[in-house]
């Protein structure tokens, strides 16, 4: 039997190689044998301030990126989170089952609240994981393909599903997270101790999926490297390890094999090779992206929202009943 799969990306900035290699690349494979649902999670994006016009533009752009990356609307359901109201309704119910301490323990929250202080961030950043749990549980999801930065949120989703089931009777499937191997966590090009991130302060942190060849070459040239000049794949060389992981994932070779190809050569040759591999991946991808019209993508999103909406509505009818809400006859 096909398994239900759910994942999403926030339209909160420029999608980067980390998002692609950690999440979207494995979606393309997984859609073949599973019942996949891929969402553009705009409700998550507004946990930090967004310009309304830009948010709308980015939402469309991400849907196009899904299609250009190989998500097939004939196989998978593509939709925008805010088009299915049940996400917020279930998130509220799950909020009431979540302990504040559980939310405050989340690394993403701790990182962001440390940076801006609790006075400087909105409550949505704290409660965001319960909305993510709702996204997943609403569709009886069995598998959630995500990057490693999301593992803690998946764990909380499992806890909340069990808590609801214990309290109100069996309702939710307990989902499993699925991480891609080397791509599980792509680190920043300017700082290999932190993940590559859309909201990074410097654009030299990431390669955006929309970067042109010149920008890619400039960013790779500037990427920080470790001491020494040898190209080796080792934990003691985190910057190089990260660059080799990117190289490996885009060329479908093992990182150790690539390191072997650069024996006796230095960083400059290696970086030229890496930039070439990235450009060779991005060029056809960007050509496909350019050819997808707004109209085409809106049709796909409308059909996706109808399908997801019908599943969500059925599930929420059962949830409301279990929780004890009076039916609206
Ligand atoms: N650096 C990364 N390496 C591997 N996977 C990553 N993902 C994100 N960054 C990396 C995965 O991409 C999917 C979508 O992420 P998201 O849009 O929900 O936002 P995020 O995880 O918070 O990613 P960003 O890019 O760092 O965004 P900001 O800066 O806005 O917080 C997820 O599956 C994620 O694991």
């Amino acid at each position: 039997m096909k398994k239900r799969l759910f994942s999403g990306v926030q339209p909160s900035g420029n999608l980067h190689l980390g998002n692609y290699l950690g999440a979207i690349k494995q979606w393309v494979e997984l859609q073949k044998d599973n019942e996949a649902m891929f969402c553009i999670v705009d409700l998550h994006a507004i946990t930090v301030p967004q310009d309304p016009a830009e948010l709308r533009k980015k939402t469309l752009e991400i849907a196009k990126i899904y299609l250009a990356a190989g998500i097939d609307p004939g196989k998978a359901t593509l939709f925008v989170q805010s088009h299915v109201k049940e996400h917020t309704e279930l998130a509220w119910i799950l909020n009431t089952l979540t302990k504040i301490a559980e939310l405050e323990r989340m690394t993403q929250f701790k990182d962001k609240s440390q940076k801006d202080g609790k006075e400087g961030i909105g409550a949505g950043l704290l409660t965001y994981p319960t909305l993510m749990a709702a996204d997943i549980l609403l569709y009886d999801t069995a598998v959630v393909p995500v990057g490693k930065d999301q593992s803690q949120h998946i764990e909380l989703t499992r806890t909340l599903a069990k808590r609801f089931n214990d309290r109100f009777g069996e309702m939710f499937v307990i989902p499993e997270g699925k991480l891609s191997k080397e791509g599980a966590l792509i680190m920043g090009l300017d700082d290999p101790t932190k993940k590559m991130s859309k909201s990074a302060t410097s654009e030299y942190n990431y390669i955006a999926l929309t970067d042109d060849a010149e920008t890619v070459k400039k960013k790779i040239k500037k990427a920080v490297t470790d001491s020494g000049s040898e190209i080796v794949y080792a934990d003691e060389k985190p910057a190089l390890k990260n660059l080799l992981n990117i190289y490996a994932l885009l060329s479908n070779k093992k990182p150790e094999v690539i390191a072997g190809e650069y024996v006796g050569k230095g960083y400059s040759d290696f970086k030229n090779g890496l930039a070439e591999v990235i450009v060779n991946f991005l060029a056809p991808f960007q050509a496909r992206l350019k050819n997808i019209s707004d109209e085409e993508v809106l049709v796909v999103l409308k059909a996706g929202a109808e399908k997801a909406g019908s599943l969500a509505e059925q599930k929420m009818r059962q949830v409301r009943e279990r929780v004890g809400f009076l039916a609206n006859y």
Side-chain angles (χ1 to χ4, degrees):
M1 216 177 75
K2 286 190 170 185
K3 284 188 180 166
R4 171 69 51 69
L5 202 128
F6 181 96
S7 200
V9 170
Q10 302 182 52
S12 52
N14 293 324
L15 245 68
H16 51 71
L17 278 180
N19 298 128
Y20 176 75
L21 297 173
I24 302 174
K25 188 170 187 265
Q26 53 163 345
W27 299 358
V28 176
E29 278 309 303
L30 289 165
Q31 69 177 342
K32 293 179 189 152
D33 301 315
N34 296 283
E35 203 187 319
M37 306 190 68
F38 299 122
C39 194
I40 297 138
V41 288
D42 52 352
L43 296 168
H44 285 288
I46 61 163
T47 52
V48 294
Q50 302 290 342
D51 172 71
E54 189 62 18
L55 179 62
R56 249 187 299 276
K57 201 173 119 211
K58 283 280 165 206
T59 303
L60 263 187
E61 182 185 294
I62 292 192
K64 289 182 185 176
I65 285 178
Y66 285 6
L67 296 175
I71 301 297
D72 175 358
K75 293 197 179 95
T77 306
L78 256 76
F79 69 106
V80 177
Q81 186 186 28
S82 65
H83 291 175
V84 181
K85 308 279 177 288
E86 284 81 357
H87 287 248
T88 41
E89 187 183 356
L90 182 56
W92 175 253
I93 294 171
L94 295 177
N95 248 333
T96 66
L97 297 176
T98 311
K99 319 276 178 231
I100 290 176
E102 286 173 322
L103 296 172
E104 286 187 336
R105 271 201 293 275
M106 296 291 130
T107 313
Q108 283 218 349
F109 171 72
K110 283 202 283 194
D111 284 353
K112 290 191 177 168
S113 60
Q114 248 164 30
K115 211 160 64 187
D116 299 320
K118 280 191 190 170
E119 294 295 327
I121 57 170
L125 267 182
L126 178 67
T127 56
Y128 151 107
T130 59
L131 176 59
M132 178 164 159
D135 301 337
I136 296 166
L137 299 179
L138 198 50
Y139 299 105
D140 292 327
T141 303
V143 185
V144 192
V146 280
K148 200 170 168 190
D149 58 320
Q150 295 296 334
S151 300
Q152 222 185 0
H153 295 158
I154 305 286
E155 218 28 69
L156 180 68
T157 302
R158 291 165 57 84
T159 302
L160 293 178
K162 287 180 197 153
R163 198 170 289 160
F164 186 103
N165 290 352
D166 287 346
R167 185 145 161 212
F168 299 107
E170 279 308 303
M171 172 60 59
F172 296 121
V173 171
I174 315 294
E176 304 272 350
K178 185 166 177 20
L179 306 185
S180 88
K181 241 172 84 217
E182 286 92 359
L185 198 58
I186 301 295
M187 310 311 280
L189 298 180
D190 57 349
D191 180 358
T193 64
K194 296 206 178 82
K195 69 167 189 163
M196 187 176 278
S197 177
K198 287 189 222 97
S199 56
T201 41
S202 162
E203 60 167 339
Y204 286 96
N205 169 274
Y206 58 82
I207 302 279
L209 295 177
T210 46
D211 278 346
D212 61 27
E214 275 320 299
T215 309
V216 170
K217 283 179 196 151
K218 211 166 58 191
K219 287 184 175 178
I220 292 298
K221 205 165 167 194
K222 259 194 104 168
V224 301
T225 48
D226 309 283
S227 55
S229 59
E230 233 184 319
I231 308 298
V232 282
Y233 188 67
D235 289 341
E236 306 77 71
K237 304 218 171 204
L240 188 52
K241 186 174 181 192
N242 186 45
L243 297 180
L244 277 162
N245 279 338
I246 296 174
Y247 200 135
L249 285 156
L250 292 177
S251 59
N252 288 321
K253 286 192 210 166
K254 289 218 175 315
E256 293 84 353
V257 172
I258 297 164
E261 291 171 4
Y262 286 94
V263 172
K265 297 178 186 165
Y267 274 122
S268 166
D269 281 337
F270 171 70
K271 283 186 164 183
N272 286 340
L274 173 59
E276 194 180 316
V277 164
I278 297 175
V279 170
N280 285 347
F281 160 71
L282 286 181
F285 168 82
Q286 289 170 359
R288 288 194 295 276
L289 191 63
K290 229 172 76 190
N291 279 331
I292 302 169
S293 68
D294 287 2
E295 293 70 27
E296 183 184 339
V297 90
L298 286 169
V299 169
V300 169
L301 293 176
K302 189 164 193 291
E306 272 166 23
K307 168 119 186 271
S310 140
L311 293 170
E313 200 183 311
Q314 287 170 45
K315 191 74 181 173
M316 276 315 294
R317 229 180 280 140
Q318 298 165 26
V319 172
R320 285 182 208 117
E321 208 242 314
R322 287 287 175 84
V323 172
F325 294 157
L326 183 68
N328 181 16
Y329 293 107

